[in-house]
Amino acid sequence: GSSYGKLAVRVERLLGTPESELQEPSFPLQLFDSLIDISLLLLINIGLLLLHVLPVVGSLVAVFGTMYFTCYILGCEFLDYALIIRGSRRKVRRAYARQHWPHTVGLGAAVCLFVLIPFVGAVFLTTAVAGAVLLRTRLGPVTNVESHDS
């Protein structure tokens, strides 16, 4: 994670972002936020797993719900690299992901597909980090949310 953060900073510098807007991500903060995201992903997936008890419809909802939330969380995780280096806290990053949910889910779906490729998948994840920085640049800043809220 910390090397992905450094890569995000490097891509931003290559894009010409002023140094005053960038800061190195804090490892403990990233770790804490990732643990919260993993916990939410587990809780949501356990809830969706329980839907399999319902015949036919429950399984369909559970499968598509699991795919959607997994892609959403992965998209959030990779967009986070582009937002953390600007000093955004978790609340702001989640507001940004909700504001641009189709892009977030699309990025997460691409990451999900990359991970399925044995051995080369890890190499493609660096591309996803660079892509997330470019996506954030294209989408613009978060609106209606203060950038330093907790």
Side-chain angles (χ1 to χ4, degrees), residues 82-98:
L83 298 170
I84 285 173
I85 61 175
R86 293 181 171 321
S88 297
R89 298 297 307 258
R90 187 176 189 283
K91 179 181 176 182
V92 174
R93 296 191 313 265
R94 291 305 161 258
Y96 190 82
R98 280 190 304 276

Side-chain angles (χ1 to χ4, degrees), residues 30-90:
Q30 279 184 300
L31 180 64
F32 180 72
D33 289 347
S34 292
L35 289 174
I36 291 172
D37 288 338
I38 289 169
S39 300
L40 285 173
L41 183 62
L42 284 172
L43 286 173
I44 290 168
N45 280 322
I46 288 170
L48 289 168
L49 184 64
L50 294 175
L51 282 177
H52 286 288
V53 172
L54 300 173
V56 184
V57 176
S59 291
L60 287 174
V61 170
V63 167
F64 287 108
T66 299
M67 287 176 18
Y68 173 80
F69 282 110
T70 299
C71 290
Y72 182 76
I73 293 293
L74 282 172
C76 286
E77 192 69 27
F78 277 80
L79 271 178
D80 279 358
Y81 294 116
L83 298 170
I84 285 173
I85 61 175
R86 293 181 171 321
S88 297
R89 298 297 307 258
R90 187 176 189 283

Side-chain angles (χ1 to χ4, degrees), residues 100-115:
H100 301 289
W101 70 267
H103 298 91
T104 303
V105 172
L107 176 62
V111 169
C112 223
L113 290 174
F114 286 157
V115 171

